[in-house]
Amino acid sequence: GEFVRLNMQYDNLIMEESAQILEIETFIPMLLQEHDKEFGCRLKRVVLLGDHNQLPPIIKNMAFQKYSHMDQSLFSRFIRLGTPHIQLNAQGRSRGSIAKLWNWRYKELGDLPHVAERKEFLKANSGFSYEYQFINVEDLRGKGCTSPMPYFYQNLAEAEYIVQVYMYMRLLGYPASTISILTTYNG
């Protein structure tokens, strides 16, 4: 109600991370503005940005999730139906060796030129033996991944381990602004 009362008018709608938005939620901003009395619907263009290979929308009701396919976004539906789209084929945020880990999913993915030129992509990571490592973190006091409340997942051993890695990096002199911690839990 309040947003409609603001009488916002727009011809273009750009939705970032649209692969993680419920299909029905995608329609909300499309319908929020009043129709122009002279021209009707002002909305002329909708641009959906996202990655249909990443996490889908989160549906907390297991029955809906399992039987209704509500965990499919409109963006993913369009891709599945063969709607013309543009898939990025070059990345510029990580070392090429790390990006190659995803070639099974992104067959045409290459690197932007600066990945082979900039020093931050070329120099070694001080204090680490490899550019990337996979580490099996054993359970903490017999507990691995737990769910203390519905739809909330945690692994305290992994959390403590990554905090130790962060502290180690800070002690080595890595600026806090250069450290990113990403989790892959869907929930």
Side-chain angles (χ1 to χ4, degrees):
E2 179 65 29
F3 196 80
V4 175
R5 281 191 293 276
L6 292 173
N7 197 28
M8 298 205 47
Q9 299 293 314
Y10 44 92
D11 298 324
N12 301 292
L13 175 64
I14 301 172
M15 298 182 78
E16 169 67 351
E17 295 296 348
S18 59
Q20 294 184 359
I21 302 171
L22 290 172
E23 194 166 26
I24 191 75
E25 291 172 328
T26 306
F27 291 105
I28 294 171
M30 294 180 198
L31 302 171
L32 277 178
Q33 64 180 326
E34 301 264 341
H35 283 267
D36 187 283
K37 290 181 173 81
E38 187 177 338
F39 300 107
C41 180
R42 286 190 50 158
L43 189 59
K44 305 292 185 257
R45 184 178 300 108
V46 176
V47 178
L48 302 177
L49 302 169
D51 186 345
H52 60 287
N53 292 316
Q54 292 184 6
L55 293 175
I58 296 171
I59 306 297
K60 293 185 176 182
N61 183 299
M62 293 305 286
F64 280 131
Q65 182 182 28
K66 190 170 184 177
Y67 300 111
S68 71
H69 298 291
M70 284 185 68
D71 59 343
Q72 175 179 251
S73 65
L74 183 63
F75 180 83
S76 296
R77 179 184 297 269
F78 283 156
I79 299 293
R80 185 176 54 80
L81 293 174
T83 302
H85 63 281
I86 298 170
Q87 176 110 11
L88 296 180
N89 60 3
Q91 67 85 29
R93 292 194 274 177
S94 69
R95 296 172 188 249
S97 60
I98 295 173
K100 282 183 181 40
L101 292 170
W102 301 106
N103 278 359
W104 64 273
R105 176 75 66 152
Y106 304 96
K107 305 257 186 263
E108 306 297 319
L109 185 65
D111 297 328
L112 293 172
H114 72 263
V115 173
E117 299 164 359
R118 289 189 188 161
K119 64 179 182 176
E120 61 265 26
F121 293 106
L122 302 175
K123 65 182 182 178
N125 290 322
S126 301
F128 293 94
S129 299
Y130 307 100
E131 291 181 346
Y132 57 87
Q133 295 174 233
F134 295 98
I135 300 167
N136 180 40
V137 178
E138 298 295 332
D139 292 349
L140 180 67
R141 293 183 214 101
K143 288 187 177 180
C145 187
T146 60
S147 183
M149 64 180 73
Y151 316 109
F152 177 83
Y153 305 100
Q154 68 181 16
N155 186 314
L156 294 178
E158 289 178 3
E160 287 188 20
Y161 190 90
I162 201 62
V163 167
Q164 291 171 6
V165 171
Y166 174 83
M167 291 172 28
Y168 172 71
M169 292 175 75
R170 295 292 290 130
L171 289 170
L172 289 175
Y174 286 89
S177 62
T178 66
I179 301 170
S180 295
I181 298 172
L182 304 174
T183 64
T184 59
Y185 287 100
N186 183 5

